[in-house]
Amino acid sequence: MHRPDPHSYYDASQPKARRLRLKLGVDFGAKRLDGEVILEFGREISGVLHLDSKGLEILSVQVPGHGPVPWALDAADAILGQRLCLDLPAGTIEVAITYRTGAEAMALQWLEPEQTEGKVAPYLFSQCQQIHARSMVPCQDTPVVRVAYQAEVTVPAGLTAVMSAGPAGDEATADGRHVYRFTMPQPIPSYLLALAVGRLASCDLSPRARVWAEPELVEAAAWEFAHVEDMIGKAEGLFGPYPWDRYDMLVLPPSFPYGGMENPRMTFLTPTLLAGDRSLVDVVAHELAHSWTGNLVTNASMEHFWLNEGFTVWAERRILRILHGDDAAALGWAMGQKALEDSLARFQNEPHLTVLRMHLAGIDPDDAFSSIPYEKGARLVAALEREVGEERFLRFIRDYMDAFRFTSITTEQFCSFVEAKLPGALEAVNARAYLDKPGLPDTSPEFHSVQLDTLSVLAERWSDGARPSAQQIASWKPAELQVYLQKVPRNLSQADCAWLDEHFQLMGRGNHEILVEWLTLAAAAEYEPAFPRIREVLLRVGRMKYLRPLYGALGQHTRTRALAREIFAAASPGYHGLSRRVVASVLEQYPA
Ligand SMILES: [Zn+2]
């Protein structure tokens, strides 16, 4: 027996599924999927097969032509869930499992109509990364196994289903519901399975790009992301032809726990990106870049997550540099530096979670999640790029994509490839210090621009009375203001807060990066005029990136700690399970 992924029961001595055929009935009343999955192996197999499952009720296991198959579910492991053991007869080519999802399925969030923009229909969305596909469908839930899939999703009349796949028709059913069909011909890791069901409308942005959202938001979404085709073109210039046919996007309700999720053919996005000024499209550049780095060349397990995220952050800023220039990219790196420092501080007592090549046996990958694989990883990629030069590095990246397309690889495979193509480069940048040592190496690349340095100096001199001029206040772009606020000292006085709010009109900002940066400063200063806005944001938005610093800042003082607990009690039922866990872990660090 050989288990290559500590987060899966997949046994490498057993056959891999090649394709899934899914039938899902969406039951909003019971908050349940009634599922059938057929795992195709593409050849005759037999014997023991181990699958991942979590909270699933298994109803039957059949091999077509043979009949029922003996099966057993092992005792549940808190992180991995239950191993589903099948004993397949000789000549098995495919196996069919009927099942129901459980009430606590982490992959699925069921929203009441009140939690949506339109407030008239319920909504369902999935989030399978890191290891939650097993709570939606029994499968080999590891990126080592890649599957094509087709699906048939039956939903109540009036609702629309979308998936991380191409549409393949839809029709009304005899019992008054509606069935949507999908096909994903390219092999994907299970964490990229994705489904959303709700009252949805769409708008075409180009012949291959479309945005989906609730009807109330679709116009704003189409405006915000209007330039996506330009972005796809720039990304193709870097990495080669877009490999997934369509690039569609879905703007989700505000409880979506991430900024974006790179589900192929259907990127999922938080509505907090709808700033009204196209200032937060860096998240779209990030999710788009994943079409190559992550979705095409994939980490073999969450122990190699930096291969997905480090490359994608580097690629995102490369795209931004082409679109908006060196200054914009430097601001992006500065924002990343702040996120990296926050994560290093959070894990100061868990240094093993600050290395890139992680060892996660017995550790929940959601607990290991931080900006470190993103930003430390991107700095290693940038260091390699600086070492060998941009042109040579870009040729290397294209070779890397060609060599590993539609495969899932380890850090060790990556290093061997670099050694073969760019001999000596890993050693020259001291790659081992990134991969195996905690913290950030002193030699890691720095990113400067005149404007970034101006912002830094001005913010650092806040305590000496330095303030932005009226001309600066009027001319700063959103990213500049965000970086400035990030660099202002954390211990502001009430008068400082009042000055900032008055001069930058912070309370009414629609750009959530600026708004949340400001509210975090205000919470840390116990600045009472901001409390109603803090409450409003925390009750509405479930994006983990915002919940962690805001609840963290509220937790620092007795009075705001009580406020934090009161808000969490009210907001918690509306949060995604992942967000709820994050807030609980933030608040439990503080005395009751
Ligand atoms: Zn990413």
Side-chain angles (χ1 to χ4, degrees):
M1 187 161 98
H2 170 51
R3 278 176 48 196
D5 179 345
H7 296 122
S8 172
Y9 288 112
Y10 166 68
D11 181 339
S13 68
Q14 297 174 4
K16 291 178 182 176
R18 304 263 293 272
R19 190 161 171 271
L20 305 182
R21 300 205 303 277
L22 272 169
K23 277 189 191 161
L24 301 172
V26 180
D27 186 337
F28 279 100
K31 295 188 165 48
R32 187 179 79 201
L33 296 179
D34 294 302
E36 180 191 71
V37 61
I38 298 174
L39 293 90
E40 299 177 6
F41 294 89
R43 62 187 175 94
E44 289 195 0
I45 63 162
S46 64
V48 175
L49 184 76
H50 294 155
L51 300 178
D52 294 296
S53 78
K54 198 167 189 183
L56 298 177
E57 182 187 352
I58 304 296
L59 302 174
S60 76
V61 183
Q62 305 258 340
V63 168
H66 287 267
V69 166
W71 59 272
L73 272 176
D74 288 357
D77 175 272
I79 298 168
L80 274 63
Q82 289 175 284
R83 178 166 64 178
L84 174 58
C85 304
L86 313 181
D87 193 4
L88 302 171
T92 298
I93 296 171
E94 57 185 42
V95 57
I97 304 170
T98 56
Y99 66 96
R100 288 178 184 149
T101 57
E104 304 298 322
M106 194 60 113
L108 304 174
Q109 190 179 13
W110 301 87
L111 299 179
E112 301 295 336
E114 304 75 59
Q115 293 172 272
T116 66
E117 200 65 35
K119 305 196 189 310
V120 294
Y123 200 107
L124 164 69
F125 68 82
S126 71
Q127 170 61 37
C128 286
Q129 204 178 33
Q130 311 291 342
I131 54 167
H132 306 303
R134 67 195 65 180
S135 70
M136 187 164 115
V137 49
C139 61
Q140 294 165 316
D141 193 9
T142 168
V144 177
V145 177
R146 305 179 72 103
V147 288
Y149 77 88
Q150 67 179 53
E152 222 178 85
V153 184
T154 307
V155 305
L159 300 188
T160 300
V162 296
M163 290 192 84
S164 54
D170 68 278
E171 71 210 17
T173 64
D175 64 356
R177 295 189 293 166
H178 207 92
V179 59
Y180 289 86
R181 295 193 180 83
F182 302 92
T183 175
M184 170 48 99
Q186 293 138 316
I188 58 161
S190 51
Y191 74 82
L192 292 177
L193 263 178
L195 167 69
V197 179
R199 213 173 116 261
L200 299 177
S202 70
C203 179
D204 282 346
L205 305 175
S206 84
R208 59 174 164 178
R210 177 178 299 161
V211 65
W212 289 87
E214 286 187 72
E216 293 78 7
L217 283 183
V218 76
E219 203 177 314
W223 186 87
E224 202 81 32
F225 307 130
H227 299 149
V228 71
E229 181 58 41
D230 193 23
M231 213 180 244
I232 300 172
K234 297 293 186 288
E236 288 185 311
L238 289 171
F239 307 123
Y242 177 71
W244 301 92
D245 187 27
R246 293 198 58 85
Y247 186 76
D248 293 343
M249 296 170 281
L250 171 67
V251 177
L252 286 126
S255 68
F256 185 60
Y258 288 101
M261 179 64 210
E262 64 270 23
N263 299 315
R265 299 180 186 227
M266 187 62 72
T267 283
F268 282 18
L269 297 169
T270 166
T272 59
L273 301 184
L274 303 179
D277 58 7
R278 295 178 180 150
S279 57
L280 298 178
V281 292
D282 56 332
V283 175
V284 177
H286 181 95
E287 306 313 331
L288 172 65
H290 268 308
S291 305
W292 290 267
T293 52
N295 296 2
L296 191 61
V297 181
T298 307
N299 55 213
S301 77
M302 291 307 149
E303 295 188 323
H304 310 280
F305 190 46
W306 81 274
L307 286 175
N308 277 18
E309 297 302 343
F311 271 92
T312 300
V313 167
W314 170 81
E316 161 202 333
R317 294 193 185 131
R318 205 65 167 67
I319 294 169
L320 282 184
R321 205 177 103 202
I322 298 170
L323 284 172
H324 303 302
D326 290 347
D327 275 1
L331 290 169
W333 284 104
M335 293 171 199
Q337 184 72 28
K338 169 74 165 44
L340 177 57
E341 284 162 11
D342 288 351
S343 291
L344 289 172
R346 172 154 69 93
F347 285 149
Q348 59 181 334
N349 298 322
E350 294 165 284
H352 57 288
L353 298 181
T354 72
V355 300
L356 290 182
R357 199 303 186 199
M358 290 202 269
H359 298 274
L360 294 176
I363 298 174
D364 188 327
D366 285 321
D367 293 339
F369 182 86
S370 79
S371 295
I372 292 163
Y374 292 73
E375 296 294 343
K376 187 179 175 182
R379 279 156 181 75
L380 171 55
V381 178
L384 287 168
E385 181 184 31
R386 285 188 181 180
E387 174 62 26
V388 304
E390 278 187 16
E391 264 184 48
R392 191 168 164 219
F393 191 69
L394 209 50
R395 279 200 303 278
F396 162 79
I397 288 284
R398 295 217 181 114
D399 288 347
Y400 171 62
M401 307 277 176
D402 278 348
F404 295 111
R405 53 191 286 125
F406 295 112
T407 66
S408 303
I409 67 167
T410 62
T411 303
E412 293 71 30
Q413 282 172 285
F414 168 76
C415 289
S416 306
F417 189 76
V418 180
E419 215 25 62
K421 296 283 173 182
L422 304 171
L426 289 172
E427 204 184 328
V429 303
N430 194 12
R432 292 262 71 97
Y434 294 83
L435 296 171
D436 300 325
K437 302 226 168 77
L440 187 67
D442 300 335
T443 53
S444 105
E446 291 186 15
F447 302 89
H448 290 285
S449 73
V450 173
Q451 176 61 345
L452 178 56
D453 293 344
T454 306
L455 292 168
S456 304
V457 170
L458 189 57
E460 277 155 22
R461 292 182 49 234
W462 176 275
S463 311
D464 308 332
R467 298 289 180 271
S469 68
Q471 195 262 330
Q472 285 171 315
I473 290 169
S475 68
W476 280 353
K477 296 194 186 83
E480 293 167 322
L481 174 55
Q482 185 188 335
V483 167
Y484 176 73
L485 290 176
Q486 285 181 341
K487 289 177 176 290
V488 160
R490 301 293 94 181
N491 54 343
L492 295 181
S493 69
Q494 302 275 310
D496 291 338
C497 287
W499 191 95
L500 280 172
D501 186 26
E502 187 194 327
H503 287 83
F504 286 106
Q505 300 293 307
L506 295 168
M507 219 73 91
R509 291 278 168 165
N511 176 316
H512 274 68
E513 294 293 326
I514 291 171
L515 178 65
V516 172
E517 196 60 48
W518 152 245
L519 294 177
T520 304
L521 279 168
E526 297 185 79
Y527 182 63
E528 207 166 334
F531 290 1
R533 192 77 169 111
I534 290 172
R535 179 190 302 271
E536 193 186 315
V537 169
L538 290 178
L539 282 173
R540 184 180 142 76
V541 176
R543 186 175 173 187
M544 295 186 285
K545 181 184 184 187
Y546 299 149
L547 300 186
R548 192 186 291 282
L550 256 179
Y551 277 105
L554 289 172
Q556 291 168 23
H557 309 285
T558 314
R559 184 168 59 133
T560 49
R561 199 178 305 142
L563 179 67
R565 295 218 158 92
E566 178 208 316
I567 294 173
F568 183 44
S572 173
Y575 285 163
H576 190 282
L578 290 167
S579 309
R580 213 176 291 140
R581 275 189 51 187
V582 162
V583 179
S585 78
V586 169
L587 292 181
E588 79 192 11
Q589 294 163 29
Y590 296 102

